[in-house]
Amino acid sequence: MPSDQRRIQPRKQPRQVRAELTRQRILTAAAHVFAEHGYAAGTTNRIAERAGLSIGSLYQYFPNKDAILAELLTRHLDGGTAAAAKLLTGPLPGSIEEVFRVFVRLAVEAHRDDPHLLRMLLEHAPRSNELLERVGRVKQEMVGHTRALLEGHPEVRVADTATAARLVIATVELGVHDLLAEPDPIDARRLEDEMVAMLTRYVTG
């Protein structure tokens, strides 16, 4: 394993409930510390103090703050993937507008609690090959599901569904990330309404 990937690997994979709870305490504390102090000033000492642990205990789970930040990004990605999969396997609304609303709202809700932390995760989190491959797989799956939806929906008029599916996913992902994390963010409900209207017009026009 290359040294840069070893740097962001967690030291300990919890095997007991107590160890997993400690690991989650560290991640939750790190999210608060990074949000309050930023990445540069979000030291492992501050994270350990916020978690109510000694710095030695923290280092049993994570070798450094890069590994903690990478794990936060992985947790965010896994949570979003699970939520999207749950929607895709359940019944969807009939109109394409309401389908888009369901998915845009899911993206907004996943990012509105602390969009500044999310931006920091995206800009500063180290990317291992494993994580990059996982991100790639998730995007491919979402694009595939979206293409199938566009091809099978009677309201859709766009001809190139392969390109359209990629544009829809990129628009939701990048738009929500950027516009909610701005210093003067767009109101979440307004963002949802306008993005849904834009996507609906694009695929039905």
Side-chain angles (χ1 to χ4, degrees):
M1 181 185 298
S3 59
D4 59 336
Q5 293 192 44
R6 286 198 298 269
R7 178 175 171 76
I8 62 175
Q9 291 294 319
R11 289 191 188 279
K12 179 187 290 188
Q13 293 297 332
R15 297 174 183 268
Q16 299 178 349
V17 172
R18 182 177 178 182
E20 175 59 25
L21 290 174
T22 300
R23 179 172 173 275
Q24 293 303 322
R25 277 171 60 193
I26 294 169
L27 292 172
T28 300
H32 288 296
V33 168
F34 288 144
E36 292 173 10
H37 300 281
Y39 186 61
T43 63
T44 50
N45 282 319
R46 279 182 164 149
I47 294 169
E49 182 179 1
R50 183 67 177 256
L53 299 169
S54 69
I55 190 65
S57 295
L58 183 147
Y59 284 141
Q60 290 179 11
Y61 292 85
F62 297 98
N64 49 58
K65 68 178 182 180
D66 284 353
I68 297 173
L69 192 63
E71 188 67 16
L72 283 173
L73 181 58
T74 298
R75 186 171 70 168
H76 170 75
L77 179 65
D78 289 346
T81 302
K86 183 177 180 180
L87 279 178
L88 289 167
T89 56
L92 291 172
S95 73
I96 194 66
E97 178 181 6
E98 289 306 310
V99 171
F100 282 145
R101 185 169 298 279
V102 167
F103 282 98
V104 172
R105 183 169 295 172
L106 173 67
V108 169
E109 291 299 323
H111 302 102
R112 68 185 301 179
D113 286 344
D114 200 334
H116 301 291
L117 174 62
L118 177 64
R119 168 163 281 186
M120 189 185 62
L121 290 177
L122 295 173
E123 292 178 351
H124 296 286
R127 312 295 175 89
S128 67
N129 290 338
E130 179 184 359
L131 183 57
L132 290 173
E133 289 173 2
R134 185 183 301 184
V135 170
R137 286 196 302 270
V138 169
K139 285 186 177 181
Q140 284 186 334
E141 290 174 7
M142 292 303 297
V143 168
H145 287 305
T146 303
R147 183 179 183 180
L149 171 68
L150 297 178
E151 290 177 345
H153 202 285
E155 293 180 53
V156 174
R157 298 290 180 266
V158 66
D160 186 352
T161 54
T163 300
R166 294 176 66 182
L167 284 172
V168 167
I169 295 301
T171 298
V172 174
E173 180 183 357
L174 297 176
V176 170
H177 286 171
D178 286 348
L179 296 174
L180 287 184
E182 287 183 342
D184 182 22
I186 294 178
D187 175 76
R189 180 55 61 87
R190 178 62 60 85
L191 173 61
E192 176 187 317
D193 289 343
E194 294 301 317
M195 187 170 286
V196 168
M198 178 177 66
L199 293 173
T200 303
R201 292 191 189 103
Y202 166 53
V203 302
T204 62

